[in-house]
Amino acid sequence: MTSLRKENYGKINREKVLGFNWDNKEYFGYEGDSLASALLANDVRIVGRSFKYHRPRGVMSCGVEESGALVTVGSGSSRDPNVRATTQELYSGLNASGQNAFPNVNFDFGGVNNYLSRFFAAGFYYKTFMGLPPFEWGKGTGIWMIFEKIIRKAAGMGKASREPDPDSYEHANDFCDVLVIGSGPAGIAAAQEIANNKLDVILIEQDSLLGGNSLSQKDFDPYLLNTQLKSSGIRVMPRTTAFGIYDNTIIGALERVTDHVPNPHNNLPRQRFWTIRAKHIIVASGALERHIAFNNNDLPGAMTVNASKHYLNRYGVLTGNNIVISTNNDSVYQTAKELHEAGSKVTILDSRENVNHDLSKDIDLHLNTLPFSINGRKKIDGIDICKTTDLSNKNTIICDQVLMSGGWSPIVNLVSHRGIKPTWNQENLCFIPGEIKENISVVGSAKGIWDEKNCIESGFVGANEAMNTFGIHKKEISFPSVGGWSNPIEPLFEVKSNKFPSKSFVDFQHDVTAEDVRLAHREGFISVEHLKRYTTLGMANDQGKMGNIIGLSLMAEQLDKTIPQVGTTVFRPPYTPVPIGALTGRNVGKHFRPLRVTPMHQWNIDHGAKMIEVGLYQRPWYYPKKNETLSDSYIRETTIVRKTVGICDVTSLGKIAIQGPDATELVNRIYTNPFAKLPIGKARYGIMLRDDGIVMDDGTSWRLGENEYFMTTSTAAAAKVMSWLEELLQTRWTDLKVNVTSVSEQWAGAAIAGPKSRDVLNECVFDPSEITNDNLPFMGVLQTKLKDGTPCRVVRISFSGELAYEMYIESDYAHGMMDLLWESAQKYDGCLYGLEALGALRVEKGHVTAAELDGRVTIDDAGLGKMASTKKSYIGSAMRKRGVLSADDREMLVGFFPINEKETFNAGTIVCEKNNIKGQGVGRITSVTHSPELGHWIGIGFVRGGLEKWKDITLIGADPVRNKQMEIKVVSPHMIDPEGKRMYA
Amino acid sequence: MTRFNAWNVFKNGFTGQKSWDRQWRDPVPKKEYDIIIVGGGLHGLATAYYLAKNHNKKNIAVLEKGWIGGGNAGRNTTIVRSNYMMPGNHEFYEHSLKLWEDLSHDLNYNVMFSQRAHVSLFHSPGARDGAARRYNIMRLHGTDAELWDLETLKKNIPHLNYEDARFPIMGAAVQRRAGNARHDSAVWGYARAADSLGVDILQNCEVTGVKRSQNNIESLETSRGTIKAKKVGFAVAGHTSVLWQMAGLGNLPIESHKLQAFVTESIKPLLDHVVVYGVGGAHFYISQSDKGSMVFGGDLDWYKSYAQRGNLPIVQDCAEAAMAIMPCLGRIRLLRHWAGVMDMSMDGSFFICKTPLSNLYLNAGWNYGGFKASPASGWYFADLIANEQPHKHVQNHNLERFEKGINIDERGAGPDPKLHG
Amino acid sequence: MSVALVQIQSCTVDMIRIKCPYCGERDHSEFTYGGDASIKYPALDAPVSEWTKAIFFRENIRGMQKETWHHTNGCRLWLEVERSTITHEIKSVKACHPQIEKITKNKS
Amino acid sequence: MLNRNSAIIEKYNIGKYPFEDKIEIILFENRNLIIQQIAAWPDEIPNVEKFFSDQLGVQKNIDFNRGKILNNNSLWRMEPSKWLLLGSTINLPENLGTSLELSHAFTSITIKGEKSDILLNRHLPLDLRLDNFPIHSSASSAIHHVSVKLFRLSEKEFRLLIPRGFALSIWEILLETASQFGYEVIDS
């Protein structure tokens, strides 16, 4: 193995030697190296395998367009597949390996595909694998799925870790006057000019070093540039890729914070996802050099010309000793000179007839010459060349590297994200950005300007455009013209081979060849999008950065059209792929959604609560004593509530303050039942309907004063009801003088339920005489004080059917209130109860909740038709009885008992007639519980025609997904104390 | 036409792939057709195919304003399932799934339907019971459906977030026969099969006007000239309202909303099922394509739109959901995302029905369900057009159901199209 | 025409910013989309046919439409936004409530 | 009266948490802050403004999204016809509008220090550059899907009002982000 490093070249720090590991072998590079340059310097040529044919691939570029050197970095949970070696900065201890190969990229069994490639033409998998070969016998998907398993294993590129990503990521926002994307000569000129005019400039550069293509120049100093820019007040963001421009001059950008650091500090995120909102954007994103499609143009050692210049001048790596450059344009001549000066033998094949260039005699220049086929298997042994006029007459040149330049493509992706169609420039054979109507300017080679001086000039023009946005008007100058080569470029996209199957690659990673494109055309895939999808051209990780234009030119040739007639393909964000972790930021794990807790959350946990997620809330589920299961626990809690008293956190209910002279009118219009005559100091249970007459939510409203109500909603619908009231007041009923304010967070609430609840309350309040049956009757409301003087609100309300109250207190006092209540309740052998017991108690009473009100149920279905006033109009009153909504055979709320009282059942069970256990059945069970009082399981749910129809008829509860089936009977949903004696006690 | 099979693939390997035919012709529009289907997406192509195959109709054209499959057919996450429970909906989607099961053979085109199981996670006992209701109804219709407890789930998909998930995973509702398919090949397969039965597929043929009498459509103005038709079917999800207005028919119970889809870079097999997740306000589904990309999607983009483009906050939302169930995806990179325009109906269910015009038929309102529905959609729509009577499974899938109070709302979300995502 | 060629529109991604008349310009993710602002809701006691038309049958405009947005994570105003359903370009924003609209009009 | 209990007490660990020996953020909770919402009927806004001038000595009408620091309290205009009075309560005559105490609805946190604006911008999509968000500005927005209200007290000092039930979750995520700058939690 030889080092290809050249003394006196490069911007690497030779003082700092970095050890790294490639495919389990130790190598050395320098600070400032990319993984690609370090591998090249160590003469590691095969670094990857292609997607389909598993052909050996080497480094083919020096940037984000790379589609050959895709590697895996790291191991274990930090394993990062499909990393471009060309953009991965080298660090000490970097551990990288080849991928999509077994056992390794140097020798890969998958390489056998290469020899079978004649069968694997575009779309071959649509034509076979359906059934038994050779004639696809069979039915169904069985045979395909056997093939699929094999295909899936062979496909894919790198292997992902299955362990959680250990790193953190974050989102970040910024704002600026002008955002400049790219720090090449044009971007720098623009940024400096604008900063000189006192505007706030952010400069984004995807590389670790500033300079863009200047980095390929021998004497360029990126460190000096950085100092200069910072001193002019420019906010410089290196290692940051602008991957998309969105509406309103907003960009999305990815900053790689620690990807180049050996052992990053835990406090630092690995990457940041920036959303930057600018007033003007200057795109100076540069251009990419294209390759040329010809036979074997993918062998390790084949590379773009500009890449080899970068490797020489930025990294001090001379990539070949005997180099053949194939071109159709002028951009390669400077590189040829420098490669020659650095010690390589250089031969140029120029497809043009006449080229005027001052070249050293030691460089062979073949005009009118095309590359025909590269010779070699895993490395380049030579190249067959031929004249443009005679493809059959070939000469062979011995060489170890082939550089290609088929022209340059401005990076129009970012502006294309804005829907701006690129236009084809035939003179320079490239797409350039179309006319832009937003505050976006494109400068430099991204606009198709090749000459450095003109690029700088264009930067100034872009700066002027940006400053116009801010009303700063400078002397008008106009953009230099597109292009800038002294000898015109001539089309050279593909050199047709007579060999079959052809290995003229258009899209390297996906192994799409020129023949594939022609086959797709023959089969009728004549729109660009069809072609793309059929061949997978441009759908690899590089998104066609290298191959798209060649593909288009081949398509145009087939159709006998010009490239612009064929169209451009879609440039979709992101420009370069963005890790899902970065998109997610800190919203991972337990922070996926914010946790909402009640003010007595910690109190509940301290008192043994097991919690359960309810929307964003965590609520107490049950309070197990030692060794108790969920069902032990809720049955005990339910029993104690019915026997003495229990206390439950009900804070999660939505709470809304309704204030103003029209408060009564509002409440009366949104509930189905009348509220107009509710006295002060009383509460009422109410149902709200949607516009279409279906039940939306239930809750209570308490009248606190002449013009003031306190409304509670269900936990689930709290936010929805709040927005709904605001919508009604701001858009439909704008004449009502009412303010609505969410006070869900202001008040903590506890239910105190059971025969002893009044005794418990009496011990806690300042004046026990207030809490009597007369003074605080059922649905009475009291604003009072606890015994230490803390104000509180008490309402007598019951969802358990027992004598029960709810007490509300300002949230910061919630712990104190619970201490008081609990201390008192313990004296009566009371308990704390959770959601499960709450559910059991309400099922016994036939109270409906979200499990029943599923958005299809009418107020009549729910057995609450009596609450629908016929004397007033309210939201939904018109629609609630339309058509079949008032039919007799609707599914109506009922209770269910198992016939065999030892039997249990589940919610979600379908109710069927005995001899017809299929289809939709005649009903369903929505909520179930064990009823300690009745001594067996009970349920509520719906049955077609209601209780009347099915009384005394045995039905079947079918629950096949849980392998259960039982006989059941229909009963009234009010299963305990149907007269409500206890509630009014 | 050269049949697609291993033998011909092998033969062509030696003959330079020269004997493959065009997969569908590029005919010149005739002056008149018996039946014109507007819309060259999966639904339109499938309708034409079944009209020709099941009903022996000749002289059919499919009009496509761009290139076939360029709308939602090519912009979805390719999930195929039949876990619907409302009357009619279930029968319809189950029929569709059955058609998918043999579609490759039927069309002689590998649509790569992979019955890898659709796994719908639940996170609370309430959600489990809600799923049980749906999956019980499936079972009572003879469709496969099961509930997996946590242990079974862990055994099948070991690398979900069972450790520190914000909403702990408790189990899953599973349909094993469900899975995903290759969307483009379904389009091309239907096109090729329809074409071989004589259907004219007219691309770049945009309907620009509708010429009608009081009760009838007489002809369609198109970018390729006037074309007369005896019967016309609309199957242009996302743009139904536009055509409807063009035909002078007023408003529809449909709003256009957009839905995004995402793919990552290719990786070696990581996920062998379709996994679905809906909790904490998120709605999310993910699977891995045969090529190795993770394919995922989430909620609608919140607001009405005809633009085939997504918005950034939803991209972030979907990424969050992806990480929430598969925290190993952190380093996997998003490669592309795109959006499709959905025909969101007021109850989340579709329309296959007659219209106020005697020779116009409507196929619309596919909401999220369009891709999986396409074989059955074509099948029942062809049936409707041929027999002029709706099949009993789609008898309520008409425009009158709202005034009649007939509820086939799978979600119970009410008349707000954006909530049916 | 012998071939089907379509000039493909480039794909863009939205980042709608809504100029709230009270809070100023904000990302649309702070807002909740309401719906068609041109719907005239019938009287509460209007017949079923009128309500059916109002809540189920929508114009589904392709172009500029008036729609409501709620500044949920902001000042909680309901806004009437004039927005293109094709380009998403916003032409105007104002508060729905006429009196609030008057107060905010001169400031924004 | 019962003892008041902070919503973030469980994760309120007073102390210094430097990063690379630096501390660039200081955080503390403003416990027991009195918060009152005053909502004017839209046509009474001028009278409410006069009422503020009489009762609180607010000289000039407060513009949208601005606040006024008074003696022991401060008054902030948060919506076209709504203000928040922090630090005390007043009695608004019923004909002018409604008032409502919300002291327990929010957890108030002060964030100050060299990187305070940068920390906030990690979570808030608000332009906090001084020209665009001058001292005594306010804004309503959201952190991590949760509605918050932000006040700028000086160039590098902000106050956040977070809905109480979400406060612990938001506090944790803020500290997680702050750890890259180094932070100190001081007594409230």
Side-chain angles (χ1 to χ4, degrees), chain A residues 257-429:
Chain A
V257 182
T258 64
D259 279 349
H260 60 291
V261 180
N263 295 302
H265 195 289
N266 265 344
N267 289 8
L268 289 174
R270 175 178 168 231
Q271 297 179 337
R272 269 184 206 115
F273 181 108
W274 286 91
T275 310
I276 306 177
R277 297 148 186 92
K279 293 268 186 297
H280 195 105
I281 295 175
I282 294 183
V283 179
S285 49
L288 295 176
E289 198 172 23
R290 295 193 293 264
H291 68 278
I292 299 161
F294 62 98
N295 197 41
N296 275 350
N297 61 340
D298 67 326
L299 279 199
M303 190 185 275
T304 58
V305 181
N306 191 49
S308 77
K309 189 176 173 207
H310 264 270
Y311 287 113
L312 179 63
N313 288 324
R314 176 167 178 185
Y315 301 109
V317 178
L318 186 58
T319 50
N321 293 317
N322 190 347
I323 298 174
V324 171
I325 295 177
S326 164
T327 189
N328 60 349
N329 67 73
D330 286 1
S331 69
V332 307
Y333 285 85
Q334 176 64 24
T335 310
K337 260 184 229 169
E338 293 186 26
L339 290 171
H340 175 253
E341 277 161 21
S344 284
K345 177 174 178 349
V346 179
T347 308
I348 300 180
L349 319 175
D350 198 317
S351 65
R352 296 170 295 181
E353 206 173 328
N354 265 314
V355 175
N356 194 4
H357 264 290
D358 174 28
L359 269 187
S360 148
K361 274 196 227 90
D362 297 333
I363 298 177
D364 282 340
L365 174 62
H366 300 259
L367 290 175
N368 246 336
T369 306
L370 300 175
F372 187 81
S373 177
I374 296 180
N375 303 325
R377 226 164 49 83
K378 286 183 172 179
K379 63 176 186 45
I380 295 175
D381 299 330
I383 180 169
D384 292 348
I385 63 169
C386 60
K387 287 287 167 194
T388 50
T389 46
D390 180 9
L391 266 61
S392 57
N393 199 355
K394 291 172 280 275
N395 279 320
T396 303
I397 301 178
I398 304 294
C399 62
D400 59 6
Q401 175 152 58
V402 175
L403 304 179
M404 299 171 277
S405 178
W408 289 74
S409 302
I411 298 171
V412 295
N413 303 49
L414 288 173
V415 271
S416 295
H417 296 173
R418 299 302 314 126
I420 297 156
K421 240 180 267 171
T423 57
W424 180 253
N425 182 293
Q426 183 59 28
E427 205 178 314
N428 290 284
L429 297 179

Side-chain angles (χ1 to χ4, degrees), chain D residues 87-105:
Chain D
S88 68
T89 59
I90 48 171
N91 287 320
L92 181 76
E94 235 181 66
N95 60 325
L96 297 185
T98 60
S99 58
L100 188 66
E101 219 212 291
L102 293 170
S103 306
H104 294 254

Side-chain angles (χ1 to χ4, degrees), chain A residues 248 277 417 419 570 726 730, chain C residues 8 10 12 15 27 76 78:
Chain A
N248 302 296
R277 297 148 186 92
H417 296 173
V570 181
E726 287 170 322
Q730 292 184 41
Chain C
I8 308 301
S10 295
T12 63
M15 192 62 191
D27 291 0
R76 293 196 73 88
W78 277 86

Side-chain angles (χ1 to χ4, degrees), chain B residues 272-285:
Chain B
D272 299 331
H273 305 79
V274 179
V275 176
V276 185
Y277 171 93
V279 71
H283 174 206
F284 180 74
Y285 32 94

